[in-house]
Amino acid sequence: MTGGRENLGQVKNPEGMDETLLSKAERRDTAVHVQGLRKHYGEVHAVKEVDLTIKAGEVVALLGPNGAGKSTMVDMIVGLTTPDSGIVRVFGLPPRQAVLEGVIGAMLQEGALLDDATVIEMVGMVASLHKNPLPVREALRKAGIEELARRRSTKLSTGQKQRVRFAVALVADPDLLLLDEPTAGMDVRRRHEFWHSMQEFTASGRTVMFATHYLEEAEEFADRVVFLRDGRIVADGSVAQVRSLAAGRTLRATISGVSEPAMRALPSVVNVEIRQDKVAVLSSDSDTTLRALLSRFPHARDVEVVGVGLDEAFLALTSRTRTSEGELS
Amino acid sequence: MNLGYLALELRRVLREPGTLLFIIGFPGAFYLLEAVIFESQWPARSAIDPGAVLLPAMAGWGVLISGMLVGARVMNEREAGWQRQLRLTPLTGGGYLLGKAAVGLLVSIPPPIVVALAAALFRDVRLDLGGWLFVTLVITLGGTPFAVLGLLIGQFGNKKNTQQIIIIGMLVLAIFGGIFIPLDSLPPWFTYVGYATPSYWLIDLGRAGIEMGGDPMRAGLILLAWTVVLAGAVIWRYRHDSARN
Ligand SMILES: Nc1ncnc2c1ncn2[C@@H]1O[C@H](COP(=O)(O)OP(=O)(O)OP(=O)(O)O)[C@@H](O)[C@H]1O
Ligand SMILES: [Mg+2]
């Protein structure tokens, strides 16, 4: 188990990690299994030691700032990027094999449309390559682009292109859908329409993992949120937990001679940041934390309690300063 | 072979404005132009008709440029990230190669036919049926390594350099294949280098049709060997070229 993880929920199962130990039923139940995954590009460690298990039917948001390693993760899960080390299994299969079986559908971050083909030609071509594709028209309908079928891809807006790429991913009729920032470049209304079509897909019990920068998307459409920062999973929890995190408060105080372990030992503490004598504690229940803090550190000064939005909770978890890094890794 | 894939690939190639020009217009025009130039320098008592000598050379040239230019088009879809999307389908390296090479071959069918028609209609060239077959369909089949070579260049090149590599490659292959200038009118080392190029053997294969070539079996086997090696490289590259760019 890596140190960087804030285990908000999701008790990890140390057994059954080796795929040879997975029974058939477990394979069907585990959509994605990633263990000890690492990838570096020169000096940049894009992904370092990530463990992640996604159950079939889960809708997981992969949240993280630019360069966190989201796309690298997605690329390794679909088998486009080979990890330096670690295991990736999709429904018990290595990525390439899962692709051959038509288990994976993916919408990658970058472009990927042909300039000299129409929408229906592209979706049709991809369909013709898969074993058990959806009818092309149905894929177009599900992506909400039926009326664009005969349009050349050069004549599509950014949002329309995204939905064509969604149709390309859907037409394989996959069990697992990976979406790398699927709504980038869409306005609010389009984004809603997009997630509406998405819900039709997840309603059938299929598994989805999507990378995003938008907290509200994660909150609204995911069952589970995984925070990635600097190539590590720093938090992983249900949407309810993330919500309660958002409902949390930040306590600030000046306490001489304070130490991080002492602060973390306080009840309901989610995160601690210390700069010299100044402490910022993210708490899921500020009343309890404050009482304990004052009784343990009666000399605490400048105490203040402020509410945090989801954004701040997110920032606290994903862009923590280096001061607390030592504790984390 | 996957027909849906092949059909769209072919449609995309024919949609490109330049394609019809270089598979129909170019080789025929080249042939007639070269015939006029050569005729003025041809020894009057020669037993061989320049119209016939140029036929396999220009038919081969048409096959070579069609195959290479069509193949190199994969650069565009790689740059657009489409190849990464294809890698997320069950399309294998072999299937990819077959589809692309088949398109290159289909597009290489018309050029030698156009040249042959020009030869028969405007230069009064007469061959027997076997001869016509050699300078048309056989030379198209012999052009397979060029379609695959174009593909390979498109798989390694980028927007900036692909055009140059293709043009330089085509000229080098043309010179050492004796396409523009007959190799026997050049210093012998041109011929020796020619042996190492697939274009030399492509023309040699075509010349069997005018009874001037070597053993067509040998030329065919050498071209097949070229095809196998280049195809292996294309499949390897398809499997490994999935990085974002
Ligand atoms: N092909 C590559 N060559 C070199 N460095 C790379 C490559 N791909 C990714 N990186 C680096 O790896 C790190 C993680 O990149 P990645 O694209 O996975 O982040 P991300 O979370 O998807 O970011 P974004 O939100 O901007 O899409 C970055 O520092 C990036 O610069
Ligand atoms: Mg990304």
Side-chain angles (χ1 to χ4, degrees), chain A residues 71 109 180-181:
Chain A
S71 299
Q109 189 165 17
D180 197 348
E181 299 188 27

Side-chain angles (χ1 to χ4, degrees), chain A residues 80 96 112 116 121 128, chain B residues 2 11-12 15 80 87 242:
Chain A
L80 286 176
R96 183 62 200 156
D116 53 4
E121 283 174 338
S128 77
Chain B
N2 190 309
R11 234 178 307 157
R12 287 176 55 217
R15 206 171 263 168
R87 282 282 311 270
S242 54

Side-chain angles (χ1 to χ4, degrees), chain A residues 32-59:
Chain A
V32 177
H33 175 72
V34 160
Q35 193 188 345
L37 205 60
R38 286 172 182 273
K39 180 71 189 177
H40 74 93
Y41 296 103
E43 293 286 281
V44 182
H45 291 267
V47 169
K48 358 178 166 160
E49 277 294 329
V50 165
D51 297 341
L52 179 67
T53 300
I54 297 176
K55 290 201 290 286
E58 271 187 307
V59 178

